[in-house]
Amino acid sequence: MIQTFSNALQRILPSATRLVQKVTRQHYTETQADYLSAKTRILILGAGFGGLTTALSLDRLLESAQDVSVLVVDRNNYSFFHPLLWTVASGRTSPSSIVVPIRTFQRGRSFHLLHAEIQRIDLAEKTVYTSAGPRPYDYLVLGIGSVTAFPNLPGLKEHALPFHSPAHAMELRNHLIDAVENAHQSQDQAERKAWLTFVVGGGGDTGVELAATIYDYLVDGLYKRYPWLNDSKTRIVLIGRAERLMPMSTPGTSQKVEQVLKEQGIEVQTGVAVEAVTENSVKTSQGEIPMHTFFWAAGISAPSIVRDLDVKQAGNGAIIVNDHLQIPGHEEVFVLGDTAWAYDAATKMAIPPTAQAAEHQGAYTAEVLAGLLKGKTSGPFVFNPRGHLALLGRRTGVAQVGSFVFTGIAAWALWHAYYLLHIPSWRSRLLLLVNWGLAAIAGPETSQLRLE
Ligand SMILES: Cc1cc2nc3c(=O)[nH]c(=O)nc-3n(C[C@H](O)[C@H](O)[C@H](O)COP(=O)(O)OP(=O)(O)OC[C@H]3O[C@@H](n4cnc5c(N)ncnc54)[C@H](O)[C@@H]3O)c2cc1C
């Protein structure tokens, strides 16, 4: 008995000591010379879901390797948690609750951070040019995400509102408040109707959640401040070009999602193409909708510095990688997240551009790199999705766990619990809990904060 206890203690003690060292150890240095003089320089572009996961996993896997230096470059000093953007747009969270300063992740870790704009990548020279000067690399991890794709449709760029950042979420709130105020002031019935019509282009996850968020913010928030508008007919229209909503999920999920949206009064138009947008209407393949608010959420595209590279790219500019996430012909470069066009080695299906996939790819890339430095080869990338969650408006959502799909408050609660646990900061978790609790008691935030 004593012997067993002593053996267990001997096993636990080293890991406990390592943990204490890690928690108490400060990040020790941050010099350019340190990075440049290392035998192996790993440069990670982007500290989003993919890039940051790579850096954190590498730090764990390369703990004893003194001759490797890892440098992460990002234009922002924070890592931003996109999925929680919906709760900012619906007035239930402040934008600062869903971002985590990147430097907090350096505590007890040895990777370096460069807060700079990435300007150009030279694959032949193995150098990345940034606003803080050039940085050479031996291995490059490219994970700089994506931007909203605006196809060349008349008036689209001028009149459509994108939804990709905390500023866009605040803008959505501001815009809905303006629209409702304008409707309130308008004496003309047709004009009032146009102000209370909100159209979303894009039937994928982002479009669906956007339409549901608009519904949530209007019905649960704004209309309580303007009760006299309750009898004015609000129209929320979701337009998708594919034959079903959320085409990357199963047909059963699409059907349930459409049913929930329709029950809330959201008009769903699938198999319909947006053709042109003006200040006063959107023209579709099925006719014209008078409106003053149009959101565009139909697809993403690679940032221009990725599109500028002379490598094989998919239609949206994402780099086509091999089954180890490397650029063919440049095997020292790994691409992940939204910037990559990758296929699952097991199913041969395209990997979806999600945070979940970017994190899996980040962990995988770190393992491949750590293996390479030890002279080992790794198997191809296989994506094991944990499931699929989406918010569908007022205390409802959809959850797909394995082959089981459910909607309603259980899916809504699971969404909140999952993302609350997943955001990598206790401070953010506490802020979110307080914010959500307050919104549940006192209603969402309806004051307008101009950001310009
Ligand atoms: C509104 C919205 C909701 C979403 N909801 C979900 C969801 O519920 N579940 C899910 O799985 N996915 C969701 N996604 C998708 C998910 O956010 C992306 O797939 C994921 O962020 C991709 O990760 P990434 O690492 O490729 O890029 P990102 O996480 O976007 O990180 C890219 C990083 O690169 C930096 N960067 C970019 N360009 C430069 C430059 N030139 N110089 C310096 N730094 C640069 C950026 O600052 C950023 O930190 C959502 C996306 C949006 C827009």
Side-chain angles (χ1 to χ4, degrees), residues 220-239:
D220 206 27
L222 283 189
Y223 284 179
K224 292 197 174 138
R225 306 278 188 269
Y226 304 78
W228 57 94
L229 281 179
N230 264 328
D231 52 4
S232 307
K233 179 103 177 73
T234 305
R235 193 176 172 205
I236 301 171
V237 189
L238 175 61
I239 302 173

Side-chain angles (χ1 to χ4, degrees), residues 48-50 74-76 82-83 117-118 144-145 337-338 353-356 419:
F49 285 96
D74 203 295
R75 61 155 72 104
N76 294 321
H82 294 76
E117 181 75 23
I118 301 152
I144 59 169
D338 290 3
T354 62
Q356 205 188 131
Y419 287 116

Side-chain angles (χ1 to χ4, degrees), residues 166-438:
H168 293 153
M170 295 302 291
E171 190 112 325
L172 178 139
R173 259 153 69 170
N174 289 346
H175 194 89
L176 295 197
I177 293 168
D178 279 338
V180 170
E181 283 290 349
N182 287 336
H184 159 63
Q185 286 166 23
S186 175
Q187 303 305 314
D188 180 274
Q189 271 308 313
E191 187 58 8
R192 190 171 168 138
K193 210 170 147 194
W195 276 117
L196 292 180
T197 299
F198 305 90
V199 184
V200 177
D205 281 43
T206 307
V208 164
E209 290 191 277
L210 193 46
T213 300
I214 293 171
Y215 170 83
D216 189 15
Y217 192 50
L218 287 174
V219 174
D220 206 27
L222 283 189
Y223 284 179
K224 292 197 174 138
R225 306 278 188 269
Y226 304 78
W228 57 94
L229 281 179
N230 264 328
D231 52 4
S232 307
K233 179 103 177 73
T234 305
R235 193 176 172 205
I236 301 171
V237 189
L238 175 61
I239 302 173
R241 202 149 77 152
E243 287 306 320
R244 61 183 175 91
L245 295 178
M246 291 186 173
M248 305 245 330
S249 56
T250 62
T253 306
S254 299
Q255 207 180 352
K256 287 201 170 163
V257 167
E258 186 167 338
Q259 189 187 332
V260 173
L261 295 184
K262 283 181 168 166
E263 278 164 12
Q264 299 184 120
I266 297 172
E267 248 177 74
V268 176
Q269 300 189 3
T270 47
V272 175
V274 170
E275 292 176 345
V277 188
T278 69
E279 216 177 305
N280 302 314
S281 74
V282 52
K283 193 163 166 266
T284 75
S285 52
Q286 297 288 312
E288 197 160 351
I289 305 170
M291 55 96 232
H292 295 307
T293 309
F294 182 73
F295 286 95
W296 183 248
I300 53 170
S301 133
S304 56
I305 47 174
V306 170
R307 300 186 83 103
D308 288 346
L309 292 174
D310 186 17
V311 293
K312 243 179 132 183
Q313 295 172 0
N316 70 352
I319 298 175
I320 300 175
V321 290
N322 66 18
D323 61 4
H324 282 68
L325 308 181
Q326 295 153 313
I327 300 183
H330 292 280
E331 278 73 17
E332 71 286 1
V333 184
F334 293 79
V335 192
L336 37 84
D338 290 3
T339 317
W341 190 272
Y343 290 92
D344 181 287
T347 61
K348 309 289 176 220
M349 303 274 283
I351 312 265
T354 62
Q356 205 188 131
E359 284 179 341
H360 283 206
Q361 290 174 327
Y364 167 84
T365 301
E367 271 171 32
V368 176
L369 276 168
L372 276 173
L373 295 174
K374 292 175 193 153
K376 291 186 196 154
T377 51
S378 311
F381 177 70
V382 176
F383 179 43
N384 294 311
R386 287 180 215 113
H388 191 172
L389 290 169
L391 275 190
L392 296 180
R394 208 169 167 220
R395 295 194 184 89
T396 185
V398 62
Q400 186 188 325
V401 185
S403 56
F404 188 50
V405 182
F406 56 100
T407 56
I409 193 150
W412 182 89
L414 182 63
W415 187 99
H416 283 78
Y418 176 78
Y419 287 116
L420 190 67
L421 292 175
H422 203 62
I423 192 163
S425 150
W426 278 104
R427 186 176 175 280
S428 296
R429 282 181 202 136
L430 282 175
L431 281 172
L432 286 169
L433 274 178
V434 171
N435 277 310
W436 292 346
L438 266 179

Side-chain angles (χ1 to χ4, degrees), residues 40-43 137-141 332 334 369 372-373:
T40 309
R41 296 154 304 179
I42 302 178
L43 188 56
Y137 62 81
D138 299 298
Y139 292 101
L140 181 70
V141 179
E332 71 286 1
F334 293 79
L369 276 168
L372 276 173
L373 295 174

